[in-house]
Amino acid sequence: IAQRILYEDNHILAINKLVGEIIQGDKTGDEPLSELLKRFIKERDAKPGEVFMGVTHRLDRPVSGITLFAKTSKASSRLNEMFRLGDVKKTYWAIVKNLPPKNEDILTHYLTRNEKQNKATAHSKPVPNAKEAQLIYKLLTSSDTYHLLEVQLLTGRPHQILSQLAAIGCPIQGDLQYGFPRSNPDGGISLHAR
């Protein structure tokens, strides 16, 4: 785990989350990254008591990328406030099969959520119980078969990038739930928080 830590000081820890890892405990009972880090720091630093590891934001299990944890309760409340106010800039890379309609655009959709299916639907106009979702995407490069998009979130809704890109005909590579025809060998999707 040490080689995946990108930055660490007395207050925060940034780590590269792998596809398949969960940030905090869920109904699966799988060990979350937060607990793995607690154990690692307890052993590495020979800490006698409990280690604090505050979750400041989440990445879904099939997504990889930088995840920020708070090592103190003070850092946790400050980081949570920064995320709430939008002071933290989140940038993602997404690989898609279809070329987006424009090289760069701001997308605004209204997301509704189906909890049973764990899926969001992006609507072009406001609908009852929907939350507005905005992101900016930019085409970075293309190969013969795939396109790399940079995505910046302006709002933070569950499955926002997945549903909004699918709504413009660009489902993310490996994302069967939102319309990509094949899964990735590792079970993840080609979305990386950077």
Side-chain angles (χ1 to χ4, degrees), residues 10-70:
N10 291 336
H11 308 284
I12 64 173
L13 185 146
I15 188 166
N16 186 25
K17 176 200 164 306
L18 303 177
V19 164
E21 287 182 316
I22 54 173
I23 303 289
Q24 68 183 117
D26 65 5
K27 61 182 180 255
T28 64
D30 295 344
E31 185 176 37
L33 189 53
S34 57
E35 292 301 317
L36 226 95
L37 286 168
K38 280 183 186 181
R39 197 170 62 245
F40 169 76
I41 287 173
K42 186 173 182 66
E43 290 170 14
R44 182 195 69 188
D45 300 348
K47 289 208 177 257
E50 281 295 306
V51 173
F52 183 89
M53 194 57 58
V55 174
T56 61
H57 68 106
R58 288 157 194 79
L59 294 177
D60 291 337
R61 188 183 281 257
V63 178
S64 64
I66 298 173
T67 309
L68 197 58
F69 289 93

Side-chain angles (χ1 to χ4, degrees), residues 159-185:
H159 291 208
Q160 178 179 341
I161 297 172
L162 314 178
S163 60
Q164 286 196 272
L165 290 182
I168 62 165
C170 298
I172 295 170
Q173 180 185 21
D175 190 4
L176 300 175
Q177 190 174 25
Y178 287 92
F180 200 84
R182 290 179 317 282
S183 61
N184 287 346

Side-chain angles (χ1 to χ4, degrees), residues 1 20 24 29 54 61 67 83 90 99 114 124 169 182-183 186:
I1 208 160
Q24 68 183 117
R61 188 183 281 257
T67 309
F83 274 101
K90 294 183 188 176
L99 192 63
N114 182 326
S124 55
R182 290 179 317 282
S183 61
D186 64 3

